[in-house]
Amino acid sequence: MIKSTPLAFASALALLAAALSCRDAAAPRPAGRKPGAPVFVVFGPQPAIRGVGAFGTATPAPGADREDFDFDVAQDLTGRVLYNDWRYNAWVKVNPADPQTAITAFRNQSAQCPGNDPANGAEVDGTGRRENGILQAFTLIACDLGPAGSGADFFQITFPSYIQKGFPSGDIVKTVVQSTGGDLQVTTSTSGSSLPDGYSVTVDQNPSRPIGINASETFTALTAGSHTVVLSGVPSNCTVSDGATRTVTVADAQTATVAYSVSCVTPPGNLDVTTTTTGSSLPNGYTVTVDQDPSRPIGINATETFTALTAGSHTVVLSGVPSNCTLSDGATRTVTVPSAQTATVSYSVSCVTPNTTPTVNAGPDEQILLGLLYELRWSFTDPDNGPWQYTISWGDGSSSSGTLSSAGSYTASHGYLLGSYTIRVTVTDGLGASGSDAKKLTVLVGGLF
């Protein structure tokens, strides 16, 4: 131990000497720790170790070649420790009346016990008060290896820069308590939608057990101490508050509880929109819209997938279909998207080459003399969809009509009286598309040119 200033209160030494002279192996357990000490709750009987003894045979007095110890510590971290090095007038004390001192750990065995079962010893970590008022961390190892006065017991105390160990005079007593075990109750509480049928719960490496979504399962006769609990079988649409893996301490003759709170939502689904287009004069593509979301381009023979849609009813619209194409079953569809699955909407489009309207040429305006038979020279072009029906409206209330098997130039004759007339030629193809052209004809009296 680091050497310190001389002990200030001689009366404290006298009290220590008196305490050591009257203590024996059957000394009563100390009072519980005051508020502010570490909390490590152990119910019922528990392991403990206590001891009183000395290194050296000199009379306890300042400067003497002697080190005394007196401790009594239990697994619940209650107790007291006193270690006094008379040579340096230095001591360390854990006192229940001093809330800044504490027993911080208790290990119910020690591999440092010489030549015996580690279960005969214990290891204690603590923070004690030094003679100069500062706090000092330490580790104490004690082994109960023989009866009082046999010199067989082992004691070691370690500070950051000092260690003392050996076989002191006095006696160390280890109290070993057989664990009676405790119980563990696991409860589940599940809320939300699309709830699962149940879960599984596992304690340590034991076989899993089924447990309902709002249920309780009790594990009995577990050894006292720390256990790992795992809730499994939780689907991806559910969230476990504070995680599925928990660590719980089970105490003898007590029931510990682990509560799982699970929240679930309905999983979304997907939608595949498929187009199939046949025929001629095909378009480059279309657009597809689901509900009020932005439209997406889609090919004429393609599939577009909409992901993470809310399970339920959705409206799908295919647009950009040209007039020469026919869409089976309409462009607007209603589809139900199932939870965690994929729905499909298929569009079938049939296209044809657009009909070309006949182009008619009635010829230029003309003038003729009265009494002459007028001959009309006219023509039309149209690459598709004959035969063609034509009508010539002569402008005087009469007309001529007929059927033509091909486009080209044609003539027709008509007699006129003196005056001005508008002649209109109209050609209609086999699909009903019509084209026309008009010209002006003036009939004059001879000699007026």
Side-chain angles (χ1 to χ4, degrees):
M1 180 179 294
I2 300 173
K3 186 173 182 180
S4 65
T5 57
L7 188 63
F9 302 100
S11 59
L13 299 180
L15 290 174
L16 173 64
L20 293 175
S21 64
C22 65
R23 175 171 171 81
D24 58 30
R29 294 283 299 122
R33 180 163 296 283
K34 299 289 186 180
V39 176
F40 184 77
V41 178
V42 179
F43 296 95
Q46 56 185 297
I49 195 162
R50 64 183 185 270
V52 60
F55 292 96
T57 58
T59 301
D65 186 12
R66 181 183 175 106
E67 298 172 47
D68 290 306
F69 60 83
D70 184 358
F71 65 90
D72 194 347
V73 180
Q75 188 184 34
D76 65 357
L77 307 185
T78 58
R80 57 180 175 77
V81 174
L82 174 62
Y83 182 79
N84 194 338
D85 188 335
W86 294 98
R87 179 176 43 185
Y88 297 110
N89 298 323
W91 49 260
V92 173
K93 182 189 296 185
V94 175
N95 184 356
D98 184 349
Q100 290 187 302
T101 65
I103 305 298
T104 57
F106 184 99
R107 294 177 288 278
N108 192 31
Q109 62 177 5
S110 178
Q112 302 300 317
C113 294
N116 285 275
D117 188 339
N120 290 331
E123 297 182 359
V124 175
D125 296 335
T127 301
R129 181 78 65 185
R130 285 282 304 275
E131 76 288 344
N132 58 6
I134 67 171
L135 295 174
Q136 177 76 65
F138 67 88
T139 296
L140 184 154
I141 299 173
C143 303
D144 183 3
L145 306 178
S150 66
D153 293 339
F154 177 79
F155 177 88
Q156 175 179 313
I157 191 165
T158 303
F159 301 97
S161 58
Y162 177 86
I163 183 172
Q164 170 65 286
K165 64 179 180 179
F167 299 90
S169 60
D171 190 25
I172 294 173
V173 177
K174 170 74 181 293
T175 303
V176 181
V177 177
Q178 183 67 34
S179 173
T180 60
D183 297 339
L184 171 63
Q185 185 180 66
V186 180
T187 61
T188 59
S189 175
T190 307
S191 60
S193 57
S194 297
L195 304 181
D197 295 327
Y199 314 113
S200 295
V201 62
T202 307
V203 176
D204 300 328
Q205 301 302 316
N206 297 316
S208 298
R209 296 186 191 178
I211 186 171
I213 63 173
N214 293 290
S216 178
E217 183 71 17
T218 300
F219 295 79
T220 60
L222 297 178
T223 58
S226 179
H227 295 270
T228 300
V229 186
V230 179
L231 187 70
S232 57
V234 180
S236 59
N237 66 302
C238 299
T239 302
V240 183
S241 298
D242 301 324
T245 301
R246 309 282 180 82
T247 300
V248 60
T249 299
V250 175
D252 281 333
Q254 302 291 321
T255 299
T257 300
V258 171
Y260 287 100
S261 178
V262 184
S263 176
C264 301
V265 297
T266 300
N270 300 328
L271 172 63
D272 283 344
V273 179
T274 301
T275 59
T276 303
T277 307
T278 59
S280 57
S281 298
L282 304 180
N284 294 323
Y286 316 111
T287 58
V288 61
T289 306
V290 176
D291 301 328
Q292 302 302 316
D293 295 334
S295 298
R296 298 185 189 178
I298 186 172
I300 63 173
N301 293 291
T303 297
E304 183 71 16
T305 300
F306 294 80
T307 60
L309 296 178
T310 302
S313 180
H314 296 269
T315 300
V316 186
V317 179
L318 187 71
S319 56
V321 180
S323 59
N324 67 302
C325 299
T326 301
L327 184 59
S328 300
D329 301 324
T332 301
R333 309 283 180 83
T334 299
V335 61
T336 299
V337 175
S339 173
Q341 299 184 47
T342 300
T344 300
V345 170
S346 298
Y347 287 99
S348 179
V349 184
S350 178
C351 300
V352 297
T353 301
N355 182 34
T356 302
T357 300
T359 300
V360 180
N361 183 4
D365 295 343
E366 294 182 82
Q367 294 178 342
I368 65 172
L369 296 176
L370 179 65
L372 297 178
L373 183 65
Y374 173 68
E375 184 178 75
L376 173 67
R377 292 179 176 85
W378 64 279
S379 64
F380 80 96
T381 59
D382 190 359
D384 55 15
N385 299 317
W388 294 266
Q389 301 294 323
Y390 74 90
T391 298
I392 302 174
S393 177
W394 296 107
D396 59 359
S398 63
S399 64
S400 302
S401 62
T403 300
L404 300 172
S405 61
S406 63
S409 298
Y410 296 93
T411 62
S413 299
H414 188 67
Y416 282 100
L417 299 176
L418 185 67
S420 181
Y421 304 91
T422 298
I423 302 172
R424 180 172 294 279
V425 181
T426 301
V427 179
T428 302
D429 66 15
L431 296 180
S434 296
S436 64
D437 189 33
K439 66 183 292 182
K440 185 176 181 180
L441 176 67
T442 303
V443 180
L444 305 173
V445 177
L448 295 179
F449 290 100

